[in-house]
Amino acid sequence: MKKLILITLMACYGFVALGQSSMSCCSKPSATKQFAMLANDKRFVMSHPQPKKAIHFQSSIGKVITYSTPDGKTADAYEFKAKIPTNNYLLVVHEFFGLNDFVKQESEKIYNDLGNVNIIDLDLYDGKVTADRTEAAKLMQAVKDDRAIAIIKGAIAYIGPKAHIATLGWCFGGGWSLQTSLLAGNQAVACVMFYGMPEQDVNKLKTLHTDVLGNFGNQDAWINPKVVAKFADDMKAAGKKLYLHQYDAGHGFANPSSPSSNPAAAADAYKNTIAFYKARLK
């Protein structure tokens, strides 16, 4: 009888363990992981053709910096230091191809248009950059959330507790721009995302301390109008403000080196982005 009871208990334990394992393996991946999983979608990878023209940019004011990260490592970034000391910072997260000259050039343009602000281009690929879409897909998929978060937290520690933090990102970096604002806590003052994966956890969105400006393309097959509409609903449910701009354009419309670029949409989105930052970085 004791043997029968023991076997029954062991069987029950096995079913419970199996159920827990099934729940774990079937749990919904994070927003950033969902975007990274697009690297397995050949259509998504093919939608990022090799840049139609290479951008070669050499800044006279930007420089590479190295800072400590809370995982015991270091990270490199590209910094544009304000001419006059200020607590205003813009943390920029690169797109699909990595921290390339397009990102640095765009950051310097924003630096000049905003005026007195520090800009730091984060590198979530840890020094890797490419112009090849197949390699870029591998780099994007290889990003681990824990390491990316450590890089972001290290940057936040580097700029200090008095910093007023705005964020920006495109594509891969669009979703991470929102995550960076979430990680910045009450230091966050502005978040801009271009066609990136939105956070889908309403409870997490409730912890956001800033308004969000979202620039999306209605022809985007992945961050499509349905995804954007759900984001708008989730932000409303979280009690947060979303300024939404949707264009008759595809994924990557703001990148002039992309065959999908849409100059009119990019110009309007840029104008709205600068105005959004100026109203909040004072």
Side-chain angles (χ1 to χ4, degrees), residues 78-89:
Y78 200 76
E79 181 180 45
F80 298 87
K81 198 74 175 172
K83 297 179 179 71
I84 302 171
T86 176
N87 286 324
N88 289 336
Y89 282 83

Side-chain angles (χ1 to χ4, degrees), residues 6 24 32 42 45 51 103 140 144 150 179 195 239 241 270:
L6 180 61
S24 175
T32 51
K42 188 175 181 180
V45 176
V103 177
M140 184 176 79
K144 305 298 183 187
Q179 296 302 320
Y195 35 83
K241 181 67 177 178
Y270 183 82

